[in-house]
Amino acid sequence: MADLARIFKAYDIRGVVPDELDEGAAEAIGAAFATLTGASSVVIVHDMRTSSGPLAAAFGRGVTAAGADVIDGGLGSTDMLYYASGALGVPGAMLTASHNPARYNGIKLCRAGAKPVGQDTGLAELQEMARAGTYHRAKEPGRIRREDLVSGYAAYLKSLVDLTGIRPLKVAVDAGNGMAGHTVPQVFDGLPITTVPLYFELDGTFPNHEANPIDPANLADLQQAVLDHRADLGLAFDGDADRCFVVDERARIVSPSVLTALIAARELVREPGAMITASHNPPKYNGIKLCRTGAKPVGADTGLRELRAIAEQGVTPQHGPAGNVTVRDLLPDYASYLKSLVDVSGIRPLKVAVDAGNGMAGHTVPEVFAGLPVTVVPLYFELDGTFPNHEANPIDPANLVDLQQAVLEHG
């Protein structure tokens, strides 16, 4: 069996197939996972990589050998797996290597209710159990049943956003030959959206470009499609469709931090005074803070699982620097599609106070917000490296006082 120490990471299991991760390892991990959770059923979903189907089948054999039933969701995205875990109330496994190159594969695990599994919440124990073979071996194996999850997943996503006022839109979508090519048509079905599809064919060899929208080079085709087709916006998904990057109608990449601010505005209208958390190192625009009266900013370590864990404590929404967004109402049903649905459902006019702290946000914010129905109340936009007003360090609440006062004064 493969050296499990090489493939068990901090929050998931990942390695080169078959050198580091093979069917034998997947089967042992499946048996250990069923034993660890003590569940009567486990839902399994897999992506389009050539090795994913066989690895998912092997994982399922391990689960049934330990006496638990398998709910086989077939092809799907990672957020669909989380939806299923929440909707069905069972642990889940997603066979995917996300945005990694084709030779990789892996396993993302969650407990019932899509509660994250990491090194300190069961992954270390799972590794040792699979290595030593100390998992349960049932006299009567579990059963496997196939279940369609995509239709329920799509319907649930559309129930999260008020789409009654959505205007007709043309949206370019780059699926990168990943799972968005399978799920986007069903999620957008019935909406007044004309889709310009790029690379919707499921192909785990990624013949066009890596399904990794974090790299701007992988957004070039989408940007060109937005311009060529005069689309209202463009969406780019990674391989397992659990992260989404956005380009605007002028083909400019929109910072995930800006999108989080827009989503936060909506959430705070619905729930005034809610806490908002973001990674300590969001890209580029980490100086942009959207404050509402009583809003409580909370910092978090980088990582989707950390953000989701915080969400379980009642914090909404959460932002990760790699294009992941978690909102508490999506737990246990986290979905990156919330971001795209908010994007296409239209942005209401907003008044946003922005404290640039005499830093670079004073240079970049006007360009980022250009073309959006946003009235900016600017504070300290003059570039001045002596920081005459306050330190440009929004982590310190003392440096947010002027911004908070501006929010109150300008309504």
Side-chain angles (χ1 to χ4, degrees):
M1 186 170 62
D3 180 6
L4 299 184
R6 291 178 60 87
I7 62 175
F8 272 72
K9 311 298 183 180
Y11 308 112
D12 61 6
I13 300 160
R14 188 172 64 256
V16 176
V17 178
D19 299 344
E20 298 175 337
L21 175 60
D22 58 20
E23 293 181 31
E27 186 168 345
I29 293 167
F33 186 62
T35 303
L36 176 71
T37 60
S40 59
S41 297
V42 175
V43 61
I44 302 175
V45 175
H46 65 85
D47 72 9
M48 67 296 140
R49 293 168 186 263
T50 55
S51 60
S52 292
L55 287 173
F59 188 95
R61 289 195 298 271
V63 170
T64 56
D69 292 339
V70 167
I71 303 170
D72 179 10
L75 285 166
S77 59
T78 292
D79 45 315
M80 189 181 87
L81 181 277
Y82 293 145
Y83 156 77
S85 175
L88 302 174
V90 299
M94 175 70 191
L95 280 295
T96 181
S98 186
H99 58 280
N100 287 282
R103 66 183 185 280
Y104 285 85
N105 216 322
I107 309 171
K108 296 181 179 181
L109 300 168
C110 63
R111 295 180 185 269
K115 294 181 178 178
V117 175
Q119 282 291 326
D120 58 348
T121 53
L123 205 56
E125 185 180 353
L126 182 71
Q127 176 184 335
E128 178 56 27
M129 194 181 298
R131 185 198 65 79
T134 54
Y135 39 77
H136 180 63
R137 294 170 174 81
K139 294 181 180 179
E140 184 72 25
R143 298 180 178 180
I144 301 175
R145 64 180 174 90
R146 184 77 169 84
E147 184 164 334
D148 171 38
L149 301 173
V150 182
S151 56
Y153 160 72
Y156 182 76
L157 285 180
K158 285 184 278 192
S159 75
L160 296 172
V161 180
D162 182 6
L163 298 169
T164 56
I166 183 173
R167 64 181 177 86
L169 293 168
K170 181 181 290 187
V171 181
V173 180
D174 187 339
N177 298 110
M179 290 314 306
H182 178 67
T183 54
V184 162
Q186 297 197 55
V187 173
F188 283 0
D189 183 49
L191 300 177
I193 296 175
T194 300
T195 302
V196 179
L198 281 76
Y199 315 134
F200 272 38
E201 306 79 13
L202 301 184
D203 189 338
T205 67
F206 306 113
N208 296 289
H209 59 70
E210 287 188 353
N212 178 15
I214 299 174
D215 184 349
N218 296 324
L219 299 177
D221 291 352
L222 176 64
Q223 291 171 305
Q224 190 61 50
V226 167
L227 296 175
D228 290 346
H229 293 272
R230 297 184 179 180
D232 295 289
L233 74 157
L235 306 174
F237 291 87
D238 71 344
D240 58 335
D242 74 339
R243 68 182 65 183
C244 172
F245 272 62
V246 178
V247 302
D248 66 16
E249 77 283 358
R250 293 167 62 184
R252 299 173 301 185
I253 300 171
V254 181
S255 164
S257 298
V258 173
L259 290 171
T260 301
L262 295 173
I263 295 172
R266 292 190 171 205
E267 291 300 302
L268 288 169
V269 168
R270 188 178 66 170
E271 188 176 342
M275 290 186 289
I276 303 169
T277 187
S279 165
H280 285 312
N281 60 340
K284 291 188 180 180
Y285 306 114
N286 58 352
I288 298 176
K289 300 294 180 184
L290 180 76
C291 291
R292 291 288 179 94
T293 303
K296 308 173 186 69
V298 178
D301 290 334
T302 301
L304 179 58
R305 292 185 182 277
E306 286 88 346
L307 297 176
R308 291 174 60 219
I310 290 174
E312 291 177 343
Q313 303 171 23
V315 183
T316 182
Q318 291 75 45
H319 163 258
N324 304 103
V325 172
T326 303
V327 174
R328 190 188 60 235
D329 287 355
L330 285 171
L331 287 171
D333 311 324
Y334 150 73
S336 69
Y337 278 96
L338 173 73
K339 179 159 50 175
S340 61
L341 287 173
V342 169
D343 294 335
V344 301
S345 65
I347 301 172
R348 68 178 180 84
L350 294 172
K351 182 183 290 185
V352 181
V354 180
D355 186 339
N358 298 111
M360 291 311 301
H363 177 67
T364 57
V365 164
E367 180 68 15
V368 171
F369 282 175
L372 297 178
V374 176
T375 300
V376 177
V377 179
L379 280 76
Y380 314 135
F381 271 39
E382 303 80 12
L383 302 184
D384 189 337
T386 67
F387 306 112
N389 296 287
H390 58 70
E391 288 186 355
N393 176 18
I395 297 175
D396 184 349
N399 296 323
L400 298 178
V401 172
D402 291 351
L403 177 62
Q404 291 171 313
Q405 187 61 38
V407 169
L408 295 174
E409 291 178 354
H410 293 272

